[in-house]
Amino acid sequence: VALALSTLSLLLLVLVLLSVPGPIKGLYWFQVDGQHTGSGPLKSGVLGWCETDTSNCTYAPLSDNGYLSTKINTGEALTVRMMLPLACYWAIVTLVSWVLLLVVAKVGYAIRDLDSITRHLRVAVMEACVLCITLFGNVLCWLAFGFGRNAFLSVQNGGGNPKSGQAMETTAVAALMSLLSFFFAIWGLHLRLRAAQKHWKEEAVMVRRRSMALSAQG
């Protein structure tokens, strides 16, 4: 479940990165009407903007736009421009970590005797490290959403009357998927440790009985 949710979160972040001024024109950060810009409707994305009427798109920072630079909080817009790709890259690292852990766990969580306990604990520590990676990625997603919303509100408070293009909402859903992935992973680790603890106790009892039987025979 955690792997599936991490994959979904990554796909949503990739969609946001491919939005305006990228190939997905129907997804954008916000749109400002032409009566405000003086040069036609303007669609802004995280990585740039497009002038709707002319299809003139650029990956330049929003601060380079004469109109937006007077309305938006350029510091927050620049932060989102850096934070969102970083969250996407980190989501890739998280996904690869989960895939590697899934491969290792098939062997590491197999308990056959008391000698398997050490290996099991090592895999559990590895899973805890992947949980930390997942948590950090989730923090990046929420920060990207938070700064993006604040920058959007700065345009709104500046009289720009922006219309949301669902990019912020998509980022929030990606962050929520990442958060759910983290919680499901914690629950899965908890269940595996409980099952292992039960198995270890059974193995310990069996070893004690064998020792007692050998002592009685000796």
Side-chain angles (χ1 to χ4, degrees), residues 111-188:
I111 302 178
R112 300 180 180 87
D113 48 41
L114 289 178
D115 294 334
S116 303
I117 294 178
T118 302
R119 184 179 69 248
H120 185 283
L121 289 176
R122 288 174 180 172
V123 176
V125 171
M126 290 175 59
E127 186 167 358
C129 292
V130 175
L131 284 175
C132 294
I133 294 174
T134 304
L135 179 60
F136 183 70
N138 181 248
V139 171
L140 289 177
C141 287
W142 284 117
L143 286 176
F145 168 71
F147 281 114
R149 178 168 175 77
N150 286 341
F152 175 86
L153 292 177
S154 69
V155 178
Q156 190 175 57
N157 295 334
N161 192 26
K163 297 178 182 178
S164 175
Q166 307 305 319
M168 286 189 303
E169 291 79 355
T170 303
T171 305
V173 173
L176 181 60
M177 293 297 101
S178 177
L179 185 61
L180 290 176
S181 171
F182 177 72
F183 285 140
F184 276 113
I186 290 179
W187 181 247

Side-chain angles (χ1 to χ4, degrees), residues 39-152:
S39 59
L42 184 147
K43 286 185 177 180
S44 172
V46 174
L47 302 178
W49 75 86
C50 287
E51 294 178 0
T52 309
D53 290 344
T54 62
S55 297
N56 181 23
C57 297
T58 176
Y59 281 92
L62 301 186
S63 57
D64 289 357
N65 182 280
Y67 173 76
L68 291 179
S69 61
T70 63
K71 300 296 182 182
I72 197 169
N73 186 317
T74 54
E76 291 179 343
L78 183 60
T79 302
V80 176
R81 182 184 175 90
M82 295 185 297
M83 192 72 69
L84 194 62
L86 179 60
C88 186
Y89 297 146
W90 197 263
I92 295 175
V93 173
T94 302
L95 183 61
V96 172
S97 300
W98 278 117
V99 172
L100 294 177
L101 181 66
L102 185 63
V103 174
V104 174
K106 290 183 178 179
V107 178
Y109 279 125
I111 302 178
R112 300 180 180 87
D113 48 41
L114 289 178
D115 294 334
S116 303
I117 294 178
T118 302
R119 184 179 69 248
H120 185 283
L121 289 176
R122 288 174 180 172
V123 176
V125 171
M126 290 175 59
E127 186 167 358
C129 292
V130 175
L131 284 175
C132 294
I133 294 174
T134 304
L135 179 60
F136 183 70
N138 181 248
V139 171
L140 289 177
C141 287
W142 284 117
L143 286 176
F145 168 71
F147 281 114
R149 178 168 175 77
N150 286 341
F152 175 86

